[in-house]
Amino acid sequence: ESTSTYELVEVSTGGKLSRHNVRVRKIGPDTDLHGRIVSDHPRGVYRQLHECIVAHSLGEAILDGNVQVNRHALQTDAGQLTRSLVLEPRASVNVKPNLQIIADDVKCSHRAAIS
């Protein structure tokens, strides 16, 4: 709808720190979000957070989150967290967290809460 918004905030200070904040405020019945993080560097810290409220009676929210930790990304700390609130009986939330861990000596997790 015409009042929907998309905002991207990016902070980059060279190779040591990079931060991306994506905010989507969609006024309408459905939202489909795909996120992908690929780590090739050791000791990286990654957080993928998805928070959603579905208030439309035919609303549907979809998250397809992917974190890939490649062979050389030793001691990586990666996490995915999804928090969703469904306010209408016919509304729905579909969450597909995906961790692909190829490296050793890593700490990775994913959690989802839908209520």
Side-chain angles (χ1 to χ4, degrees):
E1 297 204 12
S2 62
T3 58
S4 298
T5 60
Y6 169 84
E7 176 184 340
L8 171 65
V9 177
E10 180 176 339
V11 178
S12 181
T13 59
K16 224 167 180 10
L17 175 66
S18 181
R19 180 175 181 156
H20 305 273
N21 290 341
V22 178
R23 291 200 171 122
V24 178
R25 182 169 186 211
K26 184 161 184 316
I27 309 300
D30 54 67
T31 299
D32 190 353
L33 178 64
H34 298 261
R36 181 171 174 89
I37 296 171
V38 178
S39 175
D40 286 312
H41 195 272
R43 294 176 295 283
V45 177
Y46 307 96
R47 296 290 177 260
Q48 193 175 61
L49 171 63
H50 178 254
E51 294 179 319
C52 179
I53 298 173
V54 183
H56 191 278
S57 62
L58 299 176
E60 179 179 17
I62 300 169
L63 169 68
D64 184 2
N66 188 308
V67 176
Q68 180 177 335
V69 182
N70 288 332
R71 180 180 317 266
H72 300 291
L74 302 172
Q75 299 175 346
T76 291
D77 181 359
Q80 292 175 297
L81 174 59
T82 302
R83 296 182 188 136
S84 300
L85 181 60
V86 180
L87 299 179
E88 293 289 332
R90 292 179 20 193
S92 67
V93 173
N94 295 298
V95 178
K96 181 185 161 199
N98 186 11
L99 295 173
Q100 298 174 345
I101 304 168
I102 300 168
D104 292 325
D105 190 20
V106 299
K107 183 170 101 174
C108 298
S109 65
H110 60 80
R111 295 178 287 163
I114 302 171
S115 56

